[in-house]
Short mmCIF file of all heavy atoms in Angstrom, two decimals:
data_model
loop_
_atom_site.label_atom_id
_atom_site.label_comp_id
_atom_site.label_asym_id
_atom_site.label_seq_id
_atom_site.Cartn_x
_atom_site.Cartn_y
_atom_site.Cartn_z
N ILE I 14 -42.07 57.90 25.88
CA ILE I 14 -41.04 57.83 24.84
C ILE I 14 -39.76 58.48 25.34
O ILE I 14 -38.67 57.93 25.18
CB ILE I 14 -41.54 58.49 23.54
CG1 ILE I 14 -42.63 57.61 22.91
CG2 ILE I 14 -40.39 58.71 22.56
CD1 ILE I 14 -43.39 58.28 21.78
N GLN I 15 -39.86 59.65 25.97
CA GLN I 15 -38.67 60.33 26.51
C GLN I 15 -38.01 59.48 27.58
O GLN I 15 -36.79 59.34 27.62
CB GLN I 15 -39.03 61.70 27.08
CG GLN I 15 -37.83 62.50 27.53
CD GLN I 15 -36.90 62.83 26.38
OE1 GLN I 15 -37.34 63.32 25.34
NE2 GLN I 15 -35.62 62.56 26.55
N PHE I 16 -38.81 58.88 28.45
CA PHE I 16 -38.30 58.01 29.50
C PHE I 16 -37.51 56.85 28.89
O PHE I 16 -36.38 56.54 29.31
CB PHE I 16 -39.47 57.48 30.35
CG PHE I 16 -39.08 56.43 31.35
CD1 PHE I 16 -38.57 56.78 32.59
CD2 PHE I 16 -39.23 55.08 31.07
CE1 PHE I 16 -38.20 55.81 33.52
CE2 PHE I 16 -38.88 54.11 31.99
CZ PHE I 16 -38.37 54.48 33.21
N LEU I 17 -38.09 56.20 27.89
CA LEU I 17 -37.43 55.06 27.26
C LEU I 17 -36.16 55.48 26.51
O LEU I 17 -35.15 54.78 26.54
CB LEU I 17 -38.39 54.34 26.33
CG LEU I 17 -39.57 53.65 27.01
CD1 LEU I 17 -40.56 53.11 25.99
CD2 LEU I 17 -39.10 52.54 27.96
N GLU I 18 -36.21 56.64 25.86
CA GLU I 18 -35.02 57.14 25.16
C GLU I 18 -33.91 57.45 26.14
O GLU I 18 -32.74 57.12 25.90
CB GLU I 18 -35.37 58.38 24.34
CG GLU I 18 -36.17 58.07 23.09
CD GLU I 18 -36.60 59.32 22.33
OE1 GLU I 18 -36.43 60.46 22.84
OE2 GLU I 18 -37.13 59.16 21.21
N ASP I 19 -34.25 58.09 27.26
CA ASP I 19 -33.24 58.41 28.28
C ASP I 19 -32.69 57.14 28.90
O ASP I 19 -31.49 57.05 29.17
CB ASP I 19 -33.83 59.31 29.37
CG ASP I 19 -34.08 60.73 28.88
OD1 ASP I 19 -33.57 61.10 27.81
OD2 ASP I 19 -34.81 61.46 29.57
N ARG I 20 -33.55 56.17 29.12
CA ARG I 20 -33.11 54.89 29.69
C ARG I 20 -32.15 54.20 28.74
O ARG I 20 -31.11 53.69 29.15
CB ARG I 20 -34.34 54.02 29.97
CG ARG I 20 -34.04 52.73 30.68
CD ARG I 20 -35.33 52.01 31.01
NE ARG I 20 -35.08 50.82 31.77
CZ ARG I 20 -35.91 50.30 32.63
NH1 ARG I 20 -37.07 50.87 32.86
NH2 ARG I 20 -35.61 49.19 33.28
N PHE I 21 -32.48 54.19 27.45
CA PHE I 21 -31.61 53.56 26.46
C PHE I 21 -30.29 54.31 26.35
O PHE I 21 -29.22 53.69 26.30
CB PHE I 21 -32.30 53.52 25.09
CG PHE I 21 -31.41 52.95 24.02
CD1 PHE I 21 -31.19 51.58 23.93
CD2 PHE I 21 -30.77 53.79 23.11
CE1 PHE I 21 -30.34 51.06 22.96
CE2 PHE I 21 -29.93 53.28 22.15
CZ PHE I 21 -29.71 51.91 22.06
N ALA I 22 -30.34 55.64 26.32
CA ALA I 22 -29.10 56.44 26.22
C ALA I 22 -28.20 56.19 27.42
O ALA I 22 -26.98 56.07 27.28
CB ALA I 22 -29.45 57.94 26.12
N CYS I 23 -28.80 56.06 28.59
CA CYS I 23 -28.02 55.79 29.80
C CYS I 23 -27.41 54.40 29.72
O CYS I 23 -26.22 54.21 30.02
CB CYS I 23 -28.90 55.93 31.04
SG CYS I 23 -28.00 55.76 32.59
N ALA I 24 -28.19 53.41 29.32
CA ALA I 24 -27.67 52.04 29.20
C ALA I 24 -26.53 51.99 28.18
O ALA I 24 -25.51 51.34 28.41
CB ALA I 24 -28.79 51.08 28.81
N GLN I 25 -26.68 52.71 27.06
CA GLN I 25 -25.63 52.73 26.04
C GLN I 25 -24.37 53.41 26.57
O GLN I 25 -23.26 52.92 26.35
CB GLN I 25 -26.13 53.47 24.79
CG GLN I 25 -25.14 53.44 23.65
CD GLN I 25 -24.87 52.04 23.15
OE1 GLN I 25 -25.78 51.27 22.93
NE2 GLN I 25 -23.61 51.70 22.99
N ALA I 26 -24.54 54.50 27.30
CA ALA I 26 -23.38 55.19 27.88
C ALA I 26 -22.68 54.29 28.89
O ALA I 26 -21.44 54.26 28.96
CB ALA I 26 -23.82 56.50 28.54
N CYS I 27 -23.44 53.53 29.66
CA CYS I 27 -22.86 52.60 30.63
C CYS I 27 -22.06 51.51 29.91
O CYS I 27 -20.96 51.15 30.34
CB CYS I 27 -23.95 51.96 31.49
SG CYS I 27 -24.68 53.07 32.72
N THR I 28 -22.61 51.00 28.83
CA THR I 28 -21.91 49.97 28.05
C THR I 28 -20.60 50.51 27.49
O THR I 28 -19.55 49.86 27.59
CB THR I 28 -22.81 49.47 26.89
OG1 THR I 28 -23.98 48.91 27.45
CG2 THR I 28 -22.10 48.44 26.04
N ASP I 29 -20.66 51.69 26.91
CA ASP I 29 -19.46 52.31 26.34
C ASP I 29 -18.41 52.55 27.43
O ASP I 29 -17.22 52.28 27.24
CB ASP I 29 -19.80 53.64 25.65
CG ASP I 29 -20.66 53.45 24.42
OD1 ASP I 29 -20.77 52.31 23.90
OD2 ASP I 29 -21.27 54.46 23.97
N CYS I 30 -18.86 53.08 28.56
CA CYS I 30 -17.95 53.37 29.66
C CYS I 30 -17.33 52.08 30.20
O CYS I 30 -16.12 52.03 30.45
CB CYS I 30 -18.69 54.11 30.77
SG CYS I 30 -17.61 54.73 32.08
N ALA I 31 -18.12 51.05 30.36
CA ALA I 31 -17.60 49.77 30.86
C ALA I 31 -16.52 49.23 29.94
O ALA I 31 -15.47 48.78 30.40
CB ALA I 31 -18.73 48.76 31.00
N ARG I 32 -16.76 49.31 28.64
CA ARG I 32 -15.78 48.82 27.67
C ARG I 32 -14.47 49.60 27.75
O ARG I 32 -13.39 49.01 27.84
CB ARG I 32 -16.38 48.92 26.26
CG ARG I 32 -15.47 48.42 25.16
CD ARG I 32 -16.09 48.61 23.78
NE ARG I 32 -16.65 49.95 23.54
CZ ARG I 32 -15.92 51.04 23.28
NH1 ARG I 32 -14.61 50.97 23.24
NH2 ARG I 32 -16.50 52.20 23.08
N VAL I 33 -14.56 50.92 27.76
CA VAL I 33 -13.36 51.76 27.80
C VAL I 33 -12.60 51.59 29.12
O VAL I 33 -11.37 51.50 29.13
CB VAL I 33 -13.72 53.24 27.54
CG1 VAL I 33 -12.53 54.14 27.76
CG2 VAL I 33 -14.27 53.42 26.14
N CYS I 34 -13.33 51.53 30.23
CA CYS I 34 -12.67 51.38 31.53
C CYS I 34 -12.02 50.00 31.67
O CYS I 34 -10.93 49.89 32.25
CB CYS I 34 -13.67 51.62 32.67
SG CYS I 34 -14.07 53.36 32.87
#
Side-chain angles (χ1 to χ4, degrees):
I14 290 168
Q15 185 64 49
F16 173 83
L17 293 173
E18 286 176 352
D19 288 346
R20 186 175 184 151
F21 177 77
C23 185
Q25 184 63 47
C27 287
T28 299
D29 294 344
C30 188
R32 181 183 48 76
V33 172
C34 286

